[in-house]
Amino acid sequence: MDERLLAAYLATDYRVRLTGGGWASIRIGHPLPPALRLLVGSQFWSVITAWNPRSQHQPRRDNRRAQQALLTNLRALADVQAIRGAAGVGQDGQWREPSLFLLGPKQEALDRLAQRFGQHAYVHGRGDGVARLRLLPPH
């Protein structure tokens, strides 16, 4: 992954839809905001998408199909405890990518799904730890 793309991932605002409305923002290298910490407790969590595989813009129709397939795969995992809507929003606000916030699945399962859907990385953490960017080997 080139430096420019890595910088974009690190600067992205990963927004999670809250039950009562609004969003909570996750930033790489920072703890979860209080609203999400209450939800997560000590569990594993992640933010993942199937949009724009290999960071290449795809037609909306193809992205929606891929995201639906990812959601179907996630629902089949035994350790997924919750799925919420999320979005990655670029630093300049011009770029937005629908995503999913998950509770429960561990890194191994997410690595497989992210690679299957052509993703370079996803965001993850545990409980009150900091958000981390999980870079995957090139595919």
Side-chain angles (χ1 to χ4, degrees):
M1 175 180 310
D2 68 34
E3 294 293 321
R4 182 185 68 43
L5 185 55
L6 179 57
Y9 274 103
L10 294 172
T12 295
D13 182 13
Y14 299 92
R15 298 178 185 170
V16 178
R17 173 73 65 190
L18 297 174
T19 303
W23 300 86
S25 292
I26 298 173
R27 301 303 297 238
I28 304 296
H30 296 272
L32 290 174
L36 291 178
R37 258 187 271 143
L38 288 172
L39 174 69
V40 169
S42 63
Q43 299 176 81
F44 289 103
W45 61 267
S46 57
V47 178
I48 191 169
T49 189
W51 278 59
N52 300 319
R54 292 167 209 49
S55 299
Q56 299 296 314
H57 180 74
Q58 300 295 313
R60 181 178 288 273
R61 174 188 72 249
D62 294 347
N63 281 326
R64 284 184 177 160
R65 278 191 206 130
Q67 192 80 340
Q68 185 60 48
L70 173 62
L71 183 58
T72 299
N73 278 268
L74 289 167
R75 287 181 174 152
L77 293 176
D79 57 350
V80 173
Q81 297 168 21
I83 301 173
R84 289 187 180 220
V89 180
Q91 190 173 27
D92 62 4
Q94 299 297 311
W95 170 82
R96 180 181 177 90
E97 196 169 76
S99 302
L100 300 166
F101 176 78
L102 314 168
L103 290 182
K106 296 196 174 72
Q107 195 169 306
E108 299 79 24
L110 292 173
D111 284 358
R112 285 191 301 274
L113 283 175
Q115 288 177 322
R116 181 175 181 187
F117 287 93
Q119 300 301 306
H120 290 300
Y122 62 89
V123 179
H124 71 109
R126 184 171 186 165
D128 61 358
V130 299
R132 299 184 188 284
L133 184 64
R134 172 79 171 151
L135 298 174
L136 300 166
H139 25 267

